[in-house]
Amino acid sequence: MLERHRKTPAEPSVTSLGAGRRTLVLLALVAVVGAPAAVLRGLCAGHSCDEPANASSEVPFCSLPVEVRERVAAGFREGRSPDVLAVAAGEDLVAEGGVPWPSTSGRDETRVPLAFWGHGVNPAGEKIPPETGLDDVAPTIEAILGFDRPHPDVRSGSAIEGVAGGGGPPRLVVEIVWIGRGSRDVGKGPVVLGFMDSGPATLHADTVSTPVDPAAVLTTIGTGGRPSQHGITGEHVRDDAGVLRKAWSARSPVSVIATLGDDLDEELGQEPVIGMVAARRSYLGAIGGNWYIDVDRDRFVKTEPGREPRDVRRLLDPAFGADEVPDLAVIAVEGGRETLDEVFRVVLKRGAEISGQRLTVVFTATGDTGGTTVFEPPPGVAGLVERVVAGGLFLDQDELARREVSEDEVLRSLVEARDASGDALFADAFPAIAVAFGRYC
């Protein structure tokens, strides 16, 4: 096992409600928490209460299929997620940037490749079980390194059985993450397909949450926890004062739980070399860097789609893999299949050289994007919306108060939204508090 050099402080407490505007709602709910279905029914919106009979189909959010609810709940964190949420009825609805809305259509945007190869990986390891979650990536790397992170109970992920084991821990771990792609995009890329056949792998891993916003999924990969645990639910999140921030920006709220990179740095006295190549700083959840205050010195190389191979060469200098202290590099690839194959060539060659052949490579993706219909709120409520994101709307609370308009009006507009054929865009729309109480469905 790697020796710990510092004691990690306890993880920060969970902020259940980031804005004071929700306080009155919660006080009302406390009095009736013994009857949660009744509480939720009182918050009905849209089609939520149209169904007769059983309560499970009469309350907001609960009317959705169980699998859809579970993924939406895993991608939600009260106080950081949108104020009102919705699940699309079809598979083509996307937000700006192409991130699809959660849907009841059966679209498999959450299915992604996952593969491990190299030093410390069991070469005879069996195929990774289908539906293995991306929250299992960090714990599996821990097992490969022989590293025990503090506070394992705050993370949903666990080490994938049978992957670790093979020649001792590596000096360098490189994670290659294909942005906005899923298993069906792997296709016929010769290098990546050869890699998938060289060790424990699957084309049926799962992002574990929706929406498949890369900022959220990369933080899941980096922390070993779901967005409901780490709190980076998308590229935009609210801070504790209710202000909308871009994830991993200077004023963004930090991840609620530390990343593997954070813990490696803290436990090993800042000796690991940790870095990332990415086109956006909102992808920094793969390595972290701000959980332990004013001590991190991670490297970040900003790139552009298609330029990743060049910038991988810039990142992977001889400092990586130079000693027995494990180093970590993450490459976020937004280019196409040819770019991905070239990144693999550079990583396998350069990484092996600088680590003395003690290299471990992990490959996965953030989920399939690219629908055809971008949702825009109707004119009647557009002025009440601060930002549209996949899965919901952040509302301008000051404007709501000024106009004396409730969230119900916005919810009704979502339920009434129609596509060009006159069909409903959304299967259901509901306030954020409905997801918080969704465990009672």
Side-chain angles (χ1 to χ4, degrees), residues 411-431:
L411 286 166
R412 281 194 296 270
S413 74
L414 292 175
V415 172
E416 294 169 359
R418 296 290 185 269
D419 63 18
S421 301
D423 296 324
L425 280 178
F426 297 104
D428 197 7
F430 37 90

Side-chain angles (χ1 to χ4, degrees), residues 261-262 265 270 272-275 287-290 296-300:
D262 291 327
D265 260 344
Q270 303 300 315
V273 181
I274 296 174
I287 60 172
N290 61 2
D296 223 304
R297 300 184 296 273
D298 295 344
R299 304 180 182 189
F300 178 75

Side-chain angles (χ1 to χ4, degrees), residues 38-298:
V39 174
L40 289 174
R41 182 167 174 76
L43 294 169
C44 285
H47 296 306
S48 300
C49 297
D50 292 347
E51 305 276 347
N54 294 334
S56 62
S57 64
E58 295 179 351
V59 296
F61 183 58
C62 292
S63 62
L64 297 169
V66 173
E67 184 177 359
V68 174
R69 290 204 314 266
E70 288 178 346
R71 285 202 173 98
V72 170
F76 170 85
R77 189 171 180 89
E78 184 69 35
R80 293 196 179 185
S81 291
D83 303 288
V84 296
L85 298 101
V87 171
E91 65 179 31
D92 292 330
L93 195 66
V94 298
E96 183 180 350
V99 179
W101 286 66
S103 171
T104 58
S105 69
R107 175 177 175 169
D108 62 351
E109 73 270 18
T110 62
R111 188 168 66 93
V112 293
L114 177 60
F116 295 80
W117 173 90
H119 205 82
V121 176
N122 183 358
E126 298 179 359
K127 290 291 184 180
I128 294 172
E131 300 184 1
T132 294
L134 293 190
D135 52 347
D136 295 330
V137 172
T140 304
I141 295 174
E142 293 173 53
I144 292 169
L145 293 173
F147 177 68
D148 292 327
R149 293 172 70 191
H151 312 294
D153 56 310
V154 302
R155 298 179 290 273
S156 57
S158 59
I160 305 167
E161 187 174 351
V163 172
R171 289 182 173 180
L172 173 62
V173 176
V174 180
E175 299 177 47
I176 300 173
V177 186
W178 208 7
I179 304 298
R181 308 300 179 101
S183 291
R184 67 181 180 178
D185 297 301
V186 172
K188 298 180 180 179
V191 179
V192 67
L193 284 180
F195 180 85
M196 295 286 294
D197 290 335
S198 300
T202 182
L203 285 171
H204 299 276
D206 198 303
T207 63
V208 306
S209 68
T210 54
V212 290
D213 186 299
V217 179
L218 282 162
T219 309
T220 293
I221 294 169
T223 61
R226 300 174 179 187
S228 59
Q229 296 172 317
H230 59 64
I232 306 300
T233 57
E235 188 171 10
H236 294 87
V237 292
R238 286 206 190 279
D239 64 16
D240 290 345
V243 179
L244 197 60
R245 305 289 188 186
K246 200 161 188 176
W248 299 100
S249 63
R251 295 186 178 183
S252 168
V254 300
S255 173
V256 178
I257 54 179
T259 66
L260 173 60
D262 291 327
D263 284 335
L264 282 172
D265 260 344
E266 179 69 8
E267 296 292 298
L268 302 178
Q270 303 300 315
E271 293 183 25
V273 181
I274 296 174
M276 184 174 191
V277 171
R280 308 184 193 191
R281 295 192 68 85
S282 60
Y283 296 167
L284 278 169
I287 60 172
N290 61 2
W291 205 88
Y292 297 100
I293 299 174
D294 297 331
V295 296
D296 223 304
R297 300 184 296 273
D298 295 344

